[in-house]
């Protein structure tokens, strides 16, 4: 039992490390090759987890090989668009200038129900509002509304907006994030000074956000 537990923990760490090396896309919108690699890794790792007679190397070595293959393919796709199109395909327009392309939907095997479902997820309930709809290589739908149905922007109204700095979390559940502080350009002593002025202890802070201008917002823990 102890051996199985240790083997499981080790393989868990190996898979996390492999996915981290492959990049953040692996945990967001996966392309075809990335999905295949992830499924293969999970299946390979399950074998030495369940069968203690199997060597750990029988799981780790194939995972490392798959990792090298994925990184190599990703590099080739960056350098060669033809290889990317071969593996991932290409975006397909299913609504072109307000007209539904039935042939494209048949090619992708997308039903009208599937299309309307994805449109509703974009807060579009009237298909007449859509100028263009594109199925991306990851299967998601991108939509461009007709000008008369699109949201009015400040640039449309000839209004110049002030730049608003990005706020990041500098304290999370009583712990200071050094990376966020470096991004904002402040030291830990500045945070301690702010908390002192607010009469708040670090351990009482649930979330504190701050931007590069020093503007901050503090949310305390509920007592």
């Amino acid at each position: 039992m102890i051996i199985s537990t240790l083997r499981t923990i080790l393989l868990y760490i190996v898979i996390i490390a492999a996915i981290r090396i492959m990049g953040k896309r692996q945990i967001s919108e996966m392309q075809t090759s990335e999905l295949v690699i992830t499924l293969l890794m999970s299946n390979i790792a399950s074998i030495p987890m369940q069968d203690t007679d199997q060597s750990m190397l029988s799981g780790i070595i194939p995972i490392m090989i798959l990792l090298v293959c994925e990184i190599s393919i990703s590099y080739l796709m960056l350098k060669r668009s033809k290889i990317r199109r071969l593996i991932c395909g290409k975006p397909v327009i299913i609504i072109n200038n307000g007209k539904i392309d039935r042939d494209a939907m048949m090619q992708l095997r997308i039903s009208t129900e599937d299309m309307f479902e994805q449109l509703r997820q974009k807060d579009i309930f009237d298909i007449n509002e859509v100028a263009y709809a594109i199925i991306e290589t990851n299967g998601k739908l991108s939509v461009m509304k007709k000008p008369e149905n699109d949201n009015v922007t400040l640039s449309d109204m000839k209004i110049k907006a002030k730049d608003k700095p990005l706020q990041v979390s500098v304290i999370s559940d009583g712990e200071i994030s050094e990376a966020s502080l470096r991004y904002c350009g402040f030291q830990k002593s500045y945070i301690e000074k702010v908390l002192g002025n607010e009469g708040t202890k670090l351990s009482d802070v649930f979330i504190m956000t701050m931007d590069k201008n020093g503007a901050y917002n503090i949310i305390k823990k509920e007592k």
Side-chain angles (χ1 to χ4, degrees):
M1 183 65 181
I2 295 177
I3 294 176
S4 296
T5 302
L6 293 174
R7 289 162 70 96
T8 301
I9 293 173
L10 179 58
L11 285 167
Y12 173 73
I13 294 172
V14 169
I15 292 176
I16 287 180
I19 292 177
R20 287 287 292 127
I21 292 171
M22 283 190 285
K24 291 186 178 293
R25 273 185 40 142
Q26 200 68 17
I27 55 177
S28 57
E29 304 296 342
M30 292 190 290
Q31 298 289 354
T32 306
S33 63
E34 297 165 340
L35 177 61
V36 170
I37 293 293
T38 304
L39 292 174
L40 285 174
M41 279 187 177
S42 61
N43 289 331
I44 290 170
S46 65
I47 297 174
M49 281 184 190
Q50 298 170 352
D51 188 356
T52 54
D53 292 332
Q54 289 278 347
S55 169
M56 283 292 291
L57 292 177
S58 65
I60 294 176
I61 291 177
I63 289 174
M64 292 299 104
I65 293 173
L66 289 173
L67 174 60
V68 172
C69 289
E70 170 58 21
I71 293 174
S72 301
I73 290 173
S74 298
Y75 180 78
L76 287 174
M77 287 194 297
L78 285 173
K79 296 296 183 181
R80 297 287 185 271
S81 58
K82 290 183 179 179
I83 295 178
R84 176 179 174 80
R85 287 196 298 269
L86 178 64
I87 296 176
C88 300
K90 59 181 180 179
V92 177
I93 300 174
I94 60 173
I95 299 180
N96 191 350
N97 199 20
K99 295 181 180 179
I100 299 175
D101 190 332
R102 294 180 61 188
D103 292 336
M105 292 182 64
M106 289 290 292
Q107 174 190 346
L108 297 174
R109 297 185 296 279
I110 294 178
S111 66
T112 54
E113 289 80 6
D114 294 332
M115 181 182 66
F116 278 109
E117 179 182 350
Q118 294 208 45
L119 286 174
R120 288 193 295 270
Q121 291 174 354
K122 300 286 185 181
D123 294 328
I124 298 174
F125 294 85
D126 186 353
I127 197 170
N128 292 317
E129 296 180 3
V130 180
Y132 296 93
I134 303 171
I135 297 293
E136 306 293 354
T137 55
N138 57 16
K140 297 294 184 179
L141 183 70
S142 298
V143 177
M144 178 180 177
K145 290 184 178 181
K146 294 178 180 178
E148 61 269 24
N149 297 116
D150 206 356
N151 297 327
V152 178
T153 63
L154 293 177
S155 61
D156 294 330
M157 300 175 68
K158 308 299 182 183
I159 298 175
K160 187 176 181 180
K162 294 181 180 180
D163 291 334
K164 188 176 181 180
L166 175 67
Q167 282 208 347
V168 295
S169 175
V170 293
I171 297 178
S172 177
D173 201 12
E175 292 188 4
I176 296 177
S177 170
E178 299 289 346
S180 296
L181 278 180
R182 286 195 298 271
Y183 170 80
C184 294
F186 293 103
Q187 301 294 326
K188 187 176 179 180
S189 57
Y190 179 77
I191 298 296
E192 293 171 347
K193 181 181 177 181
V194 170
L195 293 178
N197 293 337
E198 294 287 340
T200 304
K201 295 180 180 179
L202 177 61
S203 57
D204 292 335
V205 178
F206 178 48
I207 296 174
M208 178 177 176
T209 59
M210 181 177 287
D211 61 28
K212 291 183 176 181
N213 294 334
Y216 61 87
N217 181 42
I218 298 175
I219 301 174
K220 297 181 181 179
K221 297 178 181 178
E222 293 184 2
K223 297 184 179 179

